[in-house]
Amino acid sequence: MDTYRRGRVKRAKHGPVHFEQLIRAPVMPRGASIRNRHSPVPSPLFNGQLKHGGRGRKPQRVQRRSDAVPLTIASLFTAALLAVGMSVCTFADDAPAAPAVDSLSQSGQAPAAGPVEEYETARAGSATGADNSASRFFVGNSELPPVPPLTADVYLLIDMDTNEILAERNSEIRRPVASLTKIATALAVLALAAPDQMFEVGSEAAAMPPNRMGLIRGETLTVEELLYGLLLDSGNDAAYAIGDGVGGVDRLVAEMNKVARELHLKDTSFTNPAGFDEPGNYSTAREIAALTQFALESQPLIRSIVSTQRRILERNAGHGWYGPTNLNRMLSEYPGAFGVKTGWTEGSGYALIAASRQNGRRLMTVVLGASKHFTDASTLLDYGFGVYELRPPPRG
C-alpha cells in the first residue's frame, strides 16, 4: 500500500477538525515547595510547633483553681489565634491538613499522599499503560527553541516516558494515515488469534496489489509469519490473509475499531486492514502515536518485529521461501532507532512513525503528509534529543 494508489481520499462527512488547542497537564514550577503550593494550611503555621494539627504545645498542669493565672486580654487574644490555627490545620476543606515535612521521622508513619503525589502517581500510571489515550500527552511549561523547517503537513514529537509533547503541528486533525493503519491490524489479530495459529491464504488476499509480501493462494502461514510480512514488507496481501484467517475482513476491522474505542481514541476510525484511502479510514498524529505506544508496550511480539530489519522465513510444507525486509530505513540510518512503521497513499502522502532510544530517553515522532518523511523524522528526533542536553538526566 505504500506504493499503491487506490483513488483520492474522501474526507469524512463532517470535514476535518480545525483546532490546535493543546491539552495541558499540570506541571510543577521548579523549586516550588509541595507544602506551600498544595496544602490548605498557610506556610507560617508550619513552624515546628503545630505538627499534626497544631497539637505540639504541651499545656501546663494546674494544681488548684486558686493557683491558676487569671486570663488577661493578651492571653485571650493569643488563645483565640491558637484555636483558629488548630481549626485551619485540622478541618480545612473537610480534610486533614498535610503534615509537616519532618513528620515521617517524628511519628514513624508516612504522610498521606497530597495533590502533587497523586498527580505524579497518575503520571507514572500513564507511562505504564494505565491511561493509553492520546489525552495523556501534555505540553510542558519549558520554553523550547523553534522547530527546524520540515516538509510534513502534520507532525508530533513526544517523550515516550513522560508523555511530554516536545513539538507538534496539526496533531489533532483527522487525516488518512496509510499503512500506519497496520499497527491496529497487528493489535487486532493478536486479540483474536495466537501467534502460532495457521492461516490459509485466500484468493482475494493473494490478488492484493502492492505493497505485497508475495503470498500465493492456498499457502498456509502462522500469524507470526504473516505479521512479519504485514509490518516489514507492509504487505497488503498479509493484511487480507489475516482478515480471512480470523473469520473475515469485517470481523478484523471491527476488532481494530474496538481497540481504538478501548484506548479512547475519538478521532480514529478504520474501514480496511491495509490503510487504503477510503472514507472513514483516518486518525490523528496524537492518536496514532498513542495506538503505537500501546502496541509497543503491550505486545512484545510487535515490538520485536518492528525493530527487525529482515526476517528469513524458510520454505516448508505450507509455504515457499520469504524474506520480509523492513521499509523503515531509520533502523539502519538513525542512532538508537527501534521502529516502527512507514506508509504512503495518494491521500496521505508519505507517513512515518519513528522511535529512538538515546542516553536513557525514548522519543517517538509521527510525520504525515511529508515529501521527505525520513529526513523529517531524523530532524525531529535530533531536535528532541538536543532539547534534553539542556535538561537534567531522567531519574532512575
Side-chain angles (χ1 to χ4, degrees):
M1 194 207 54
D2 295 85
T3 58
Y4 173 64
R5 300 187 179 185
R6 190 164 171 166
R8 296 186 178 275
V9 64
K10 298 180 181 178
R11 297 289 184 183
K13 292 181 179 180
H14 49 272
V17 177
H18 295 288
F19 61 92
E20 296 182 359
Q21 183 177 1
L22 301 178
I23 301 170
R24 296 177 178 268
V27 179
M28 295 181 293
R30 288 184 180 176
S33 166
I34 293 175
R35 182 184 65 206
N36 293 345
R37 293 191 301 107
H38 291 283
S39 171
V41 186
S43 57
L45 293 179
F46 287 97
N47 57 9
Q49 301 296 326
L50 294 179
K51 299 185 180 70
H52 297 287
R55 291 186 272 273
R57 180 172 297 180
K58 185 176 181 179
Q60 297 293 327
R61 182 179 179 183
V62 178
Q63 299 292 340
R64 297 187 305 274
R65 182 181 299 272
S66 59
D67 295 334
V69 179
L71 294 176
T72 65
I73 294 177
S75 61
L76 282 171
F77 182 72
T78 302
L81 285 177
L82 179 62
V84 171
M86 293 176 64
S87 174
V88 171
C89 289
T90 308
F91 302 109
D93 297 328
D94 296 323
V101 172
D102 60 349
S103 62
L104 178 60
S105 59
Q106 295 289 336
S107 66
Q109 296 180 354
V116 173
E117 289 84 353
E118 291 174 358
Y119 167 67
E120 293 298 339
T121 300
R123 282 274 304 280
S126 173
T128 57
D131 175 14
N132 293 295
S133 67
S135 63
R136 75 185 188 276
F137 298 143
F138 71 98
V139 178
N141 62 352
S142 301
E143 185 175 350
L144 299 178
V147 178
L150 302 169
T151 70
D153 296 331
V154 174
Y155 60 80
L156 177 71
L157 176 67
I158 63 167
D159 185 314
M160 296 179 67
D161 297 305
T162 67
N163 296 323
E164 181 180 5
I165 295 176
L166 302 176
E168 74 88 39
R169 181 171 184 249
N170 297 329
S171 65
E172 294 178 311
I173 294 179
R174 294 179 179 180
R175 60 174 298 132
V177 292
S179 280
L180 307 190
T181 297
K182 289 168 181 161
I183 299 293
T185 307
L187 282 169
V189 68
L190 290 175
L192 298 172
D196 60 353
Q197 187 169 338
M198 302 293 294
F199 286 171
E200 182 175 347
V201 179
S203 56
E204 181 183 8
M208 278 292 120
N211 277 19
R212 291 173 44 82
M213 181 182 180
L215 299 175
I216 299 174
R217 177 184 176 183
E219 289 186 319
T220 57
L221 295 88
T222 66
V223 168
E224 181 174 346
E225 289 172 330
L226 289 171
L227 284 175
Y228 276 99
L230 178 81
L231 298 174
L232 301 192
D233 289 328
S234 198
N236 300 325
D237 51 354
Y240 278 80
I242 287 172
D244 292 340
V246 298
V249 172
D250 289 344
R251 186 187 181 202
L252 179 61
V253 171
E255 185 66 27
M256 293 164 64
N257 286 308
K258 179 181 177 182
V259 170
R261 288 194 305 271
E262 290 176 348
L263 295 179
H264 307 289
L265 306 182
K266 300 179 181 180
D267 292 299
T268 297
S269 173
F270 302 110
T271 59
N272 66 79
F276 293 132
D277 288 339
E278 292 179 353
N281 203 91
Y282 57 81
S283 187
T284 70
R286 287 202 191 195
E287 294 197 351
I288 206 68
L291 180 77
T292 301
Q293 188 166 351
F294 173 76
L296 295 175
E297 293 176 351
S298 66
Q299 290 291 348
L301 180 57
I302 293 178
R303 184 168 65 246
S304 174
I305 292 175
V306 297
S307 64
T308 301
Q309 294 192 40
R310 194 180 191 202
R311 176 64 183 268
I312 302 301
L313 306 177
E314 298 290 351
R315 179 187 181 94
N316 59 31
H319 62 76
W321 183 96
Y322 291 102
T325 302
N326 205 321
L327 300 179
N328 182 8
R329 294 186 352 224
M330 300 289 286
L331 290 177
S332 59
E333 297 179 0
Y334 193 85
F338 59 92
V340 294
K341 188 72 187 73
T342 62
W344 184 90
T345 63
E346 184 178 3
S348 73
Y350 285 104
L352 175 66
I353 307 173
S356 175
R357 181 187 295 104
Q358 294 183 27
N359 301 322
R361 296 189 183 276
R362 298 183 307 155
L363 301 186
M364 177 190 292
T365 183
V366 178
V367 295
L368 302 173
S371 59
K372 297 181 178 180
H373 51 324
F374 294 120
T375 300
D376 285 353
S378 298
T379 299
L380 283 166
L381 291 172
D382 285 345
Y383 168 87
F385 288 120
V387 164
Y388 282 122
E389 291 181 359
L390 305 177
R391 294 186 177 185
R395 290 179 295 178

